[in-house]
Amino acid sequence: MGSGDFFEVFFSHLDLFLILMFVFSSTLYFCVRGVAPAAYLDPIHFYYTFTFGTSYGIIVGLYSLGYISGYIFSVVMSYGVLFVMLLRLFVYLNRHKKFSIFRVFLVPRGEGSFQFFIVLLVYVFLLVFLWTQVGLGVSAETNRFEQNRGFGAFVRVADGIRIFVLAYLTLVVYRRWLGERKISLKSMGLIFFILVLIVVSSAINGAKFAMLEGLYSCFVAMAIFYKKPKFNIIYAACIFLLALVFAMFVLSSNLEKKGLDVDAAPSYMPGGDVLTERLVLRILSNADKYYLTLPGGVLDKLQTDDLWVRFVAPMVGTTRLSSMLGYNVNNYNVGRQALLYYDPNYEIAGGPTSHFDLFVYKYFGNYFGWMWVTFSAFMFAVFIVLSRQGCGDIYFCAIVTTLWLRSLPMLLEPTVGFAYVLDIFIIFTLIKLFCSVLPRKADAKT
């Protein structure tokens, strides 16, 4: 089922799909709200509650209309049930464990202020490098994936460090406020710097989610540091409204670059406008890999390569590995394969993500898919347990915030998310080793 065919089906049965999307999003929210580190402001609600909730609603809708077979429907839904059950089970079983290995390898003694200074310098260098060599992702001619060809490793490292820097700076301000109950001039300057950094880094990244991710970094860090966050829902709504405005701006810019008239009449939403329709279609794209592959048994027709290639490609770079192996390894992501099934000549980088359930179905098979689901659920559970052990340590809280936010993409693109987590371990282990030879004064309080 191509995208156009699905949109016709969706808008013809709008009530059915909207009800199912709401029901599944609400169900997943209640399934994970008790373990989410930042309560209702946690990014798991974007990556899992919202993304998979809307996806499952569409899957069930297509199944009820007879477009999806009972077998593949049961496989996909069983992986979803298994994941959430194991996640909660592992959190419960490991709730008292310390996982000290994380502190041993990643967290320095003291406040880690000197280590943070090193990280900040590296991040500023990466921002300047990407701005001058690649340009602003928000102004990409085609899409940010195409623009970042050859620089993917730098972008990936910068995105990971970005979360840590924002989390650390936020906690410096937050701790001062908790102690003084007022915002000093110095803290106001730091808040302004954080906001500028969020805007600039989001513009360089270019993703519609970039602004929201920057805000998530701040919320999650405060939640882990304080353990019982009390976020004002009105302030939070205003901040997320700003993130929506940024997303609309990026979407509008992309439409204009493609030569589309934003004032033209929409194709599927009479009485609306193109920009709103595109935003709705962007939400529906949460399920694009499902409606492209599940109807008609397309999923079983997609090609795959070796599993090790899937894991190595994000680490060494798809461009470099493709050159070494003699074929475009990026084309064998499940989501990308779905796109190529309908348009074999599509050459622009990017495309649908794979989602963990489709990934394990294609690369692990029916008998071993549970292994990856179990592994990913355990990893998320470990980071959740660590998030409850902040104990007022700014550096530790910032590290855990970074690990949590960088691990969640494993739900959408498992091998890429795994590479993100590995990046954090390598980068911050090296930083700790490098700084370990320096004088203890480097750990003076911030």
Side-chain angles (χ1 to χ4, degrees), residues 81-107:
V81 172
L82 179 64
F83 171 77
V84 74
M85 289 179 61
L86 289 176
L87 176 65
R88 295 188 65 90
L89 177 63
F90 288 143
V91 170
Y92 175 77
L93 294 177
N94 295 282
R95 63 192 184 281
H96 298 308
K97 292 187 178 180
K98 297 297 183 183
F99 297 107
S100 301
I101 190 172
F102 289 92
R103 288 187 178 272
V104 171
F105 283 96
L106 303 178
V107 183

Side-chain angles (χ1 to χ4, degrees), residues 386-428:
L386 286 172
S387 73
R388 301 173 179 179
Q389 303 171 7
C391 302
D393 185 333
I394 287 181
Y395 197 95
F396 176 80
C397 292
I399 284 286
V400 175
T401 298
T402 307
L403 288 171
W404 178 238
L405 265 73
R406 294 303 273 176
S407 66
L408 288 172
M410 285 177 59
L411 293 168
L412 309 184
E413 195 68 74
T415 57
V416 173
F418 182 75
Y420 288 168
V421 174
L422 194 60
D423 286 343
I424 302 304
F425 274 95
I426 294 174
I427 293 169
F428 287 93

Side-chain angles (χ1 to χ4, degrees), residues 88-393:
R88 295 188 65 90
L89 177 63
F90 288 143
V91 170
Y92 175 77
L93 294 177
N94 295 282
R95 63 192 184 281
H96 298 308
K97 292 187 178 180
K98 297 297 183 183
F99 297 107
S100 301
I101 190 172
F102 289 92
R103 288 187 178 272
V104 171
F105 283 96
L106 303 178
V107 183
R109 295 180 180 178
E111 293 290 316
S113 55
F114 184 76
Q115 286 82 357
F116 169 74
F117 179 71
I118 297 296
V119 174
L120 182 61
L121 284 180
V122 172
Y123 182 60
V124 171
F125 171 78
L126 285 172
L127 280 184
V128 174
F129 174 78
L130 291 173
W131 196 338
T132 56
Q133 298 299 316
V134 181
L136 296 178
V138 72
S139 60
E141 291 296 327
T142 51
N143 62 49
R144 59 192 177 91
F145 301 105
E146 189 70 27
Q147 179 172 286
N148 291 335
R149 278 186 186 269
F151 296 92
F154 296 100
V155 174
R156 197 176 75 223
V157 172
D159 287 344
I161 294 178
R162 169 186 187 242
I163 295 173
F164 175 82
V165 169
L166 291 174
Y168 191 97
L169 291 175
T170 298
L171 291 181
V172 170
V173 177
Y174 190 51
R175 188 175 62 177
R176 289 175 180 170
W177 181 83
L178 288 176
E180 303 172 2
R181 292 295 173 178
K182 64 179 181 179
I183 301 295
S184 65
L185 186 61
K186 185 177 181 179
S187 294
M188 290 180 63
L190 197 52
I191 292 174
F192 178 75
F193 177 72
I194 292 171
L195 294 175
V196 170
L197 195 59
I198 289 176
V199 173
V200 172
S201 60
S202 299
I204 293 176
N205 178 284
K208 301 175 187 67
F209 177 65
M211 179 75 74
L212 190 56
E213 183 185 52
L215 298 172
Y216 273 140
S217 304
C218 303
F219 289 133
V220 173
M222 289 189 290
I224 293 175
F225 185 81
Y226 193 55
K227 293 188 179 180
K228 294 182 179 179
K230 296 179 180 179
F231 299 120
N232 187 301
I233 188 65
I234 296 178
Y235 294 157
C238 293
I239 291 174
F240 280 98
L241 180 62
L242 292 177
L244 177 62
V245 171
F246 177 79
M248 295 290 283
F249 169 73
V250 174
L251 183 60
S252 177
S253 298
N254 291 341
L255 292 177
E256 290 179 358
K257 286 182 174 62
K258 293 178 181 179
L260 299 177
D261 184 5
V262 296
D263 296 321
S267 302
Y268 304 100
M269 298 174 59
D273 59 86
V274 171
L275 191 59
T276 302
E277 181 186 66
R278 286 300 177 119
L279 182 61
V280 172
L281 298 184
R282 179 65 186 84
I283 294 174
L284 295 182
S285 70
N286 288 332
D288 53 5
K289 66 285 301 169
Y290 297 111
Y291 64 67
L292 290 174
T293 63
L294 300 190
V298 172
L299 183 60
D300 291 320
K301 303 174 185 177
L302 304 184
Q303 300 179 33
T304 60
D305 56 357
D306 293 328
L307 181 62
W308 69 267
V309 176
R310 296 297 94 217
F311 281 95
V312 172
M315 299 177 189
V316 304
T318 55
T319 301
R320 179 178 300 177
L321 188 60
S322 297
S323 177
M324 295 170 58
L325 298 181
Y327 70 94
N328 189 345
V329 300
N330 190 52
N331 284 343
Y332 289 87
N333 290 334
V334 178
R336 178 75 175 176
Q337 269 289 301
L339 186 64
L340 293 175
Y341 178 84
Y342 294 92
D343 187 0
N345 297 318
Y346 192 86
E347 297 181 354
I348 299 175
T353 53
S354 301
H355 280 201
F356 75 93
D357 41 19
L358 301 187
F359 170 75
V360 299
Y361 178 82
K362 291 298 295 183
Y363 278 93
F364 284 81
N366 293 333
Y367 297 105
F368 300 102
W370 62 270
M371 295 175 62
W372 179 261
V373 177
T374 302
F375 170 77
S376 57
F378 178 76
M379 178 177 288
F380 293 137
V382 169
F383 297 152
I384 289 170
V385 172
L386 286 172
S387 73
R388 301 173 179 179
Q389 303 171 7
C391 302
D393 185 333

Side-chain angles (χ1 to χ4, degrees), residues 1-21:
M1 177 182 288
S3 297
D5 296 328
F6 167 72
F7 296 148
E8 293 288 349
V9 172
F10 180 86
F11 287 102
S12 297
H13 302 84
L14 188 61
D15 292 343
L16 171 67
F17 283 103
L18 289 181
I19 291 173
L20 289 172
M21 290 164 67

